[in-house]
């Protein structure tokens, strides 16, 4: 036994030497929040999306984000906002892009639907990613729209284990797809590694709102996960349960995971939120 | 699982001495990736729990299979992000040699199927381990061994991943020729 003690000490020394020094960084947080109700006399009118935008603006302003909530933006408004924001965002900044409104999927491509005045004027997932790619730093997309899973489908070497179409939460095909990607000779790394997305629903699923909660279901429970009080429309940080490890930092994985559980505890409608993959997990909130 | 059962059947038919074991291995998990900005090195301290069986077929040479569960937590925050941790279920297959009554080494290749923490995003990866081991306590029904695994984890999402651990293994002999 005595001869093993030096080996044990050596091993512990190697272990302890691996704790690394980290530097401090200045992180500015920006929010681009959009909600669309499509007008009052339209068959596509949504009654609660504007409340989604207002509540998200309230919550994220209290969490230190600086930005705007624009109601009923057009396609051009959104893309111009992103282009203008690209001029000020820094490499260590976090930019939140939130949209509540309609979405749809056509031939495997998901679209979000801004305000329009005659005819559709939509933004595809590729267009949104390309626009946000011009913004420095980490970009986080949260979408409370139907078919939004198409905005998180490109995940490089990993595979979304949740099906896109109301399936069960275990997908055997994800196992085989994971190994196929591992052994792939192609470079299939994320095209936009700095863009991370959370969707309310799968690519082939609808998401819902309800007048009784005056929100989209997903946004409502996401806000509660952050400690948002829907009665007072204020954020109470002591009620937040998004921070799984209690370290004062909420990554998007923590927000996603805790919102997923909270949503599933209260909503029986069969749609599942999705999140993009990759090893980087941006810190959405520090408190 | 099917592979492990097949392994058990074949080695039993060959009359090999078989030991079953369970082990727990805390480990530090170091990742290096030049594409990560601003910090390209990260560190996580995780744990691996394994159930394995070793078959001593030819003198001091052993074949080994393991079923493992690993938990690697997320890193601490590096500026504005963390590196995601993950949970893994793994099947390992390896071979080894005992040099004397108290010391041996085996190498094992793990096929991991992992899920990033807090998500349903899954990925596959392979890990090659070299595990020197030392017999600490020996009795008729139980051996206690010290494992010192050094591993290289081959992932497609991060360039280089090395881990070093210290583990305790409880080994239960199960008939056959005493190794």
């Amino acid at each position: 036994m005595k001869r093993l003690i030096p080996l044990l000490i050596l091993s512990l020394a190697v272990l302890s030497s691996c704790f690394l020094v980290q530097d401090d960084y200045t992180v500015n947080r920006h929010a681009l929040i959009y909600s669309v109700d499509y007008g009052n006399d339209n068959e596509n009118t949504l009654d609660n999306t504007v409340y989604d935008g207002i509540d998200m603006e309230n919550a994220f302003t209290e969490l230190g984000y600086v930005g705007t909530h624009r109601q009923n933006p057009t396609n051009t408004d959104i893309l111009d906002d992103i282009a203008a924001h690209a001029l000020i965002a820094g490499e260590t900044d976090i930019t939140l892009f939130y949209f509540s409104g309609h979405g749809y999927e056509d031939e495997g491509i998901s679209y979000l639907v801004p305000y329009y005045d005659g005819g559709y004027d939509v933004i595809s997932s590729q267009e949104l990613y390309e626009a946000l790619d011009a913004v420095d730093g980490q970009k986080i997309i949260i979408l409370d729209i139907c078919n939004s899973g198409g905005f998180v489908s490109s995940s490089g070497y990993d595979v979304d284990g949740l099906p896109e179409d109301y399936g069960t939460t275990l997908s055997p095909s994800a196992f085989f797809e994971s190994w196929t990607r591992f052994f792939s000779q192609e470079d299939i790394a994320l095209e936009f590694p700095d863009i991370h997305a959370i969707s309310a629903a799968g690519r082939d699923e609808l998401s819902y709102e309800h007048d009784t909660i005056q929100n989209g279901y997903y946004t409502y429970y996401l806000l509660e996960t952050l400690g948002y009080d829907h009665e007072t429309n204020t954020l109470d940080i002591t009620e937040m349960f998004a921070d799984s490890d209690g370290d004062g930092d909420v990554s998007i994985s923590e927000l996603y995971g805790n919102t997923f559980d909270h949503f599933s505890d209260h909503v029986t409608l069969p749609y599942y939120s999705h999140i993009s993959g990759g090893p980087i997990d941006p810190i959405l909130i520090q408190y | 699982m099917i592979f492990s059962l097949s392994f058990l059947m074949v080695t039993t038919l060959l009359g090999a001495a078989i030991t079953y074991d369970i082990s727990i291995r805390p480990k530090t998990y170091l990742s290096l990736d030049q594409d990560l900005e601003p910090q390209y090195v990260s560190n996580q301290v995780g744990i691996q729990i394994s159930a394995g069986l070793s078959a001593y077929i030819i003198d001091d040479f052993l074949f080994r299979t393991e079923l493992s569960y690993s938990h690697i937590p997320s890193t601490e925050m590096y500026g504005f992000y963390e590196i995601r941790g993950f949970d893994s279920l793994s099947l390992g297959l390896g071979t080894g040699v005992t040099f004397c009554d108290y010391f041996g080494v085996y190498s094992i290749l793990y096929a991991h199927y992992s899920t990033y923490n807090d998500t349903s995003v899954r990925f596959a990866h392979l890990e090659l381990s070299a595990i020197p081991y030392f017999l600490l306590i020996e009795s008729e029904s139980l051996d206690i061994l010290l494992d010192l695994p050094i591993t290289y984890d081959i992932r497609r999402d991060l360039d280089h991943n090395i881990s070093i651990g210290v583990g305790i293994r409880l080994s239960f002999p199960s008939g056959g020729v005493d190794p």
Side-chain angles (χ1 to χ4, degrees):
Chain A
M1 183 64 186
K2 282 183 180 176
R3 61 190 150 174
L4 297 179
I5 290 175
L7 278 169
L8 195 58
I9 292 171
L10 179 64
S11 303
L12 291 172
V14 171
L15 286 171
S16 60
S17 70
C18 292
F19 290 96
L20 304 167
V21 177
Q22 66 180 82
D23 298 324
D24 291 326
Y25 302 96
T26 301
V27 180
N28 298 308
R29 289 180 164 79
H30 314 271
L32 302 171
I33 296 172
Y34 301 96
S35 60
V36 190
D37 64 8
Y38 306 98
N40 292 327
D41 300 321
N42 191 307
E43 63 180 4
N44 293 316
T45 294
L46 292 169
D47 295 327
N48 300 294
T49 47
V50 170
Y51 297 122
D52 287 345
I54 292 169
D55 290 340
M56 287 291 285
E57 182 184 26
N58 289 341
F60 278 88
T61 298
E62 291 195 47
L63 290 166
Y65 277 74
V66 176
T68 57
H69 168 213
R70 192 191 279 267
Q71 298 178 24
N72 286 325
T74 65
N75 172 317
T76 305
D77 291 333
I78 293 173
L79 296 177
D80 285 352
D81 282 354
I82 294 173
H85 179 60
L87 300 174
I88 60 169
E91 288 187 359
T92 60
D93 288 359
I94 302 278
T95 298
L96 169 68
F97 177 94
Y98 172 85
F99 183 91
S100 178
H102 279 304
Y104 72 97
E105 177 270 338
D106 184 34
E107 296 184 352
I109 298 173
S110 288
Y111 300 86
L112 59 83
V113 184
Y115 184 77
Y116 55 92
D117 187 10
Y120 282 94
D121 193 10
V122 299
I123 297 176
S124 70
S125 54
Q126 185 72 18
E127 285 176 301
L128 181 62
Y129 270 63
E130 287 176 356
L132 287 170
D133 195 40
V135 178
D136 282 342
Q138 302 291 313
K139 284 78 65 176
I140 298 159
I141 301 169
I142 300 177
L143 300 174
D144 194 351
I145 62 176
C146 296
N147 306 115
S148 45
F151 284 82
V152 298
S153 60
S154 55
S155 52
Y157 296 113
D158 43 49
V159 175
D160 189 349
L162 292 175
E164 298 283 1
D165 56 351
Y166 306 102
T168 60
T169 56
L170 286 175
S171 171
S173 63
F175 177 82
F176 298 106
E177 180 63 24
S178 297
W179 284 107
T180 300
R181 293 189 181 201
F182 177 81
F183 287 111
S184 170
Q185 298 298 310
E186 299 174 31
D187 182 4
I188 52 173
L190 285 167
E191 187 178 1
F192 303 105
D194 296 333
I195 303 177
H196 315 266
I198 294 175
S199 70
R203 190 183 57 216
D204 299 327
E205 296 172 346
L206 304 179
S207 64
Y208 299 87
E209 63 171 12
H210 204 280
D211 292 343
T212 56
I213 57 172
Q214 292 195 316
N215 280 123
Y217 281 111
Y218 189 74
T219 298
Y220 182 87
Y221 288 106
L222 181 144
L223 287 163
E224 283 202 343
T225 305
L226 292 172
Y228 192 74
D229 185 331
H230 291 286
E231 297 295 323
T232 61
N233 292 328
T234 55
L235 194 78
D236 182 355
I237 211 80
T238 61
E239 296 295 318
M240 177 190 287
F241 51 95
D243 187 7
S244 301
D245 52 14
D247 62 357
D249 307 318
V250 179
S251 70
I252 64 164
S253 293
E254 286 179 300
L255 178 62
Y256 168 82
N258 287 298
T259 302
F260 189 99
D261 292 342
H262 189 46
F263 178 92
S264 301
D265 287 344
H266 293 87
V267 179
T268 55
L269 293 164
Y271 65 104
Y272 301 101
S273 59
H274 293 245
I275 187 170
S276 51
I280 297 292
D281 200 9
I283 303 300
L284 189 65
I285 296 158
Q286 282 183 278
Y287 64 97
Chain B
M1 183 61 77
I2 292 170
F3 183 84
S4 296
L5 290 173
S6 304
F7 180 88
L8 179 61
M9 285 176 59
V10 170
T11 52
T12 302
L13 288 172
L14 290 172
I18 293 172
T19 62
Y20 300 90
D21 56 69
I22 54 173
S23 61
I24 183 166
R25 298 174 191 144
K27 60 182 181 182
T28 185
Y29 188 92
L30 194 68
S31 297
L32 300 92
D33 191 317
Q34 291 188 336
D35 291 334
L36 291 180
E37 295 289 348
Q39 182 157 330
Y40 61 87
V41 181
S42 63
N43 182 57
Q44 293 143 290
V45 178
I47 196 164
Q48 181 174 4
I49 299 168
S50 300
L53 63 88
S54 299
Y56 294 82
I57 294 176
I58 309 168
D59 295 332
D60 293 327
F61 289 93
L62 64 90
F63 289 97
R64 180 168 174 80
T65 183
E66 274 186 26
L67 285 171
S68 295
Y69 163 77
S70 302
H71 173 68
I72 305 293
S74 299
T75 64
E76 59 185 316
M77 185 179 68
Y78 299 126
F80 53 90
Y81 67 83
E82 302 171 345
I83 302 295
R84 278 180 170 142
F86 55 89
D87 291 306
S88 294
L89 288 175
S90 321
L91 178 64
L93 176 66
T95 184
V97 60
T98 54
F99 293 111
C100 65
D101 289 345
Y102 297 99
F103 173 63
V105 63
Y106 64 91
S107 61
I108 190 161
L109 180 68
Y110 294 100
H112 292 289
Y113 187 50
S114 300
T115 305
Y116 288 123
N117 293 344
D118 291 317
T119 77
S120 298
V121 179
R122 304 199 162 98
F123 63 102
H125 50 123
L126 295 175
E127 185 179 63
L128 186 61
S129 286
I131 307 180
Y133 61 93
F134 302 87
L135 179 64
L136 299 179
I137 297 171
E138 183 179 28
S139 70
E140 284 190 7
S141 58
L142 171 67
D143 295 341
I144 300 177
L145 302 102
L146 176 73
D147 289 338
L148 298 174
I150 302 169
T151 72
Y152 184 77
D153 192 359
I154 305 163
R155 290 169 59 176
R156 299 296 298 271
D157 58 344
L158 289 172
D159 285 346
H160 304 291
N161 308 277
I162 300 160
S163 71
I164 303 169
V166 178
I168 292 293
R169 180 156 46 106
L170 305 180
S171 179
F172 308 95
S174 176
V177 180
D178 190 341

